[in-house]
Amino acid sequence: MVDSSPPTRPKPLVALAISVVAVIIASGVGGLASTSSGEEYQRLEQPAWAPPSWVFGPVWTLLYLLMAVAAWLVWRSGPWSQTRPALTAYAVQLVLNAAWTPLFFGLGWRGIAFAELSVLWVVLITTVVMFWRHSRIAAALLVPYLAWTTFALCLNFAVWQLNN
């Protein structure tokens, strides 16, 4: 006889751990792809409003923490069949997030990185909207990430133009 019961989901703390591991992997891929990004960032011509390189580490640490909690809140907000589309959008933006650093620093493709970041921005907006339908707190936790990504998009464009 075939078991037609839905698959069991991990316990909430296991799900939180999975969410944290996912953002660690995404951040680690970007970090490993360009270990000298701080030095390279300082060598680039930048707009006057560009933050110093030391700002990025603390900001991304906080953003990744907020992202992990947001995904966990959505995960636990309902059955997998209902949360899967929002969490899939979340996973797509994580992959796009991880891809930016190697494009911008590792390969030096500032224009391609800008285009990729533009796609990330659209997917991130979609993710926020989808998270809102499951948990307003989860969506709110992604707003700083959306704001930072908007800022990064402007900075990427300016650096690309100044170093073209």
Side-chain angles (χ1 to χ4, degrees), residues 43-109:
R43 285 193 300 263
L44 292 168
E45 190 173 340
Q46 301 174 24
W49 45 271
S53 60
W54 65 265
V55 168
F56 293 93
V59 167
W60 277 111
T61 300
L62 176 60
L63 293 177
Y64 281 128
L65 175 63
L66 295 174
M67 291 162 59
V69 172
W72 177 69
L73 289 171
V74 169
W75 176 87
R76 58 187 296 251
S77 70
W80 176 243
S81 60
Q82 292 175 5
T83 59
R84 180 180 25 220
L87 293 171
T88 299
Y90 174 80
V92 169
Q93 70 78 29
L94 266 183
V95 169
L96 291 167
N97 179 307
W100 181 85
T101 300
L103 291 171
F104 189 89
F105 288 112
L107 297 169
W109 295 350

